Amino acid sequence: MHIILNGDQREFPDSLSASQLLQDLGLTGKRLALEINREIVPRSTFDSHIIQPGDRIEIVHAIGGG
Amino acid sequence: MSTVMHSPAAMNGDPLIIAGVEYHSRLLVGTGKYKDMEETRAATEASGAEIVTVAIRRTNIGQNADEPNLLDVISPQQYTLLPNTAGCYTAEDAIRTCRLARELLDGHELVKLEVLGDEKTLFPDIMQTLQATEVLVRDGFKIMVYTNDDPIVAKRFEELGCVAVMPLAAPIGSGLGIRNPYNIMTIVENATVPILVDAGVGTASDAALAMELGCDGVLMNTAIAGARDPVLMASAMKKGIEAGREAYRAGRIPRKRFASASSPIDGTFF
């Protein structure tokens, strides 16, 4: 399936959970926040949240800023 | 007493209280523009700051998976993190950023709200900032708001429920110092929440002046990170803040046009 991940077009297998997506990206266990179609996906629901084709996904973290 | 454990401000029971939490440092620092994580860590430590701002940005996907993470050097256990909405030009983007920050930091509600109006000045867009404030206050956020040095607007943010109001001294990163001390003083006099100067200070005397005007604290980034020796400047800023605060509490002498001798006139033998 086709998704938009941090602004880039990407292909992933169907029926992927948020946890599996993060694992595929090597981000498991990192301190990050996930937003799908402008809705926050709480960390506690990563296992059960299934990514849908066409989802717009944002993965963010904290960096230096003033 | 051989060792002084606390700063004089803390010893004198003069804490900064934001949203019901006591802090002993009145210097808040940003973590941007440093050359590396080690310099970020060292300068932040030298500043003595307890509240430290961070930005929320996209994670790099598929590259530098093992790159050092800011939160490894600026630990949420050691510091109160203050996620900012820097780079947002609309209320909507700022609200999204705050919600992502709250999720990222496990329900943390203290945020620095800034909604910018213009890339050249980085002055705040007050209309958008007010809109974002109303939504975020309803949503339970504790907002420290970046605003201009307008006393009417500052009061409005307080009335909307911001936990601190942070007027700029001068444009972000400009180092121009406090351009409108009388407005800052008026904002302080009108306020019942902490007033912090946010943005525009260039050196330690600027920070001291902000404190002498009665500000409750100063938030800065570029003045430290952009100095030739950021760690030394962080230390200087810490002292400037403490000196300015003590001078404010001590009450300065009035300015007079003519001299007033320091040594007695009586008892001279000449």
Side-chain angles (χ1 to χ4, degrees), chain A residues 5-7 10 25 27 30-35 38 40-43 58-66, chain B residues 30-32 53-59 61 65 70-71 84 92 96 99-100 103-106 112 114 221:
Chain A
L5 178 61
N6 282 5
R10 297 284 296 260
L25 297 171
L27 295 173
K30 303 274 185 196
R31 191 181 270 274
L32 49 81
L34 178 65
E35 189 198 66
R38 300 200 164 217
I40 302 277
V41 178
R43 204 166 302 151
E58 295 289 345
I59 302 174
V60 302
H61 66 161
I63 64 160
Chain B
T31 52
T53 65
V54 299
I56 307 298
R57 291 290 181 271
R58 283 174 167 163
T59 301
I61 303 289
L70 176 68
L71 300 189
N84 70 24
E92 189 191 358
R96 271 177 88 190
R99 289 177 176 159
L100 280 164
E103 173 62 20
L104 181 71
L105 298 172
D106 305 319
K112 171 182 161 178
E114 61 176 282
N221 190 155

Side-chain angles (χ1 to χ4, degrees), chain B residues 144-160:
Chain B
M144 301 178 70
V145 64
Y146 165 68
T147 183
N148 57 29
D149 59 14
D150 178 338
I152 308 303
V153 169
K155 194 65 188 172
R156 186 79 189 109
F157 281 117
E158 179 184 328
E159 289 163 356
L160 284 175

Side-chain angles (χ1 to χ4, degrees), chain A residues 2 6-7 10-12 15 19 22-24 27-28 34-36 38 43 47-49 52 60 62 64 66:
Chain A
H2 196 77
N6 282 5
R10 297 284 296 260
E11 286 296 330
F12 280 92
S15 305
S19 291
L22 294 173
Q23 195 178 349
D24 277 10
L27 295 173
T28 300
L34 178 65
E35 189 198 66
I36 301 184
R38 300 200 164 217
R43 204 166 302 151
D47 284 343
S48 59
H49 190 104
Q52 303 297 322
V60 302

Side-chain angles (χ1 to χ4, degrees), chain B residues 27 201-204 207 220 223-224 233-241:
Chain B
L27 173 57
V201 304
T203 188
M220 65 179 76
I224 296 174
M233 186 58 89
S235 167
M237 290 298 188
K238 177 177 193 277
K239 292 167 184 158
I241 294 280

Side-chain angles (χ1 to χ4, degrees), chain B residues 198-242:
Chain B
D198 176 9
V201 304
T203 188
S205 55
D206 295 335
L209 176 59
M211 299 310 293
E212 288 172 14
L213 292 172
C215 289
D216 296 282
V218 178
L219 198 169
M220 65 179 76
N221 190 155
T222 307
I224 296 174
R228 192 172 63 240
D229 183 339
V231 178
L232 190 57
M233 186 58 89
S235 167
M237 290 298 188
K238 177 177 193 277
K239 292 167 184 158
I241 294 280
E242 288 175 359

Side-chain angles (χ1 to χ4, degrees), chain B residues 180-198:
Chain B
N180 205 338
Y182 296 100
N183 275 25
I184 298 291
M185 211 185 302
T186 305
I187 290 170
V188 168
E189 285 166 2
N190 287 345
T192 60
V193 295
I195 301 297
L196 293 89
V197 155
D198 176 9

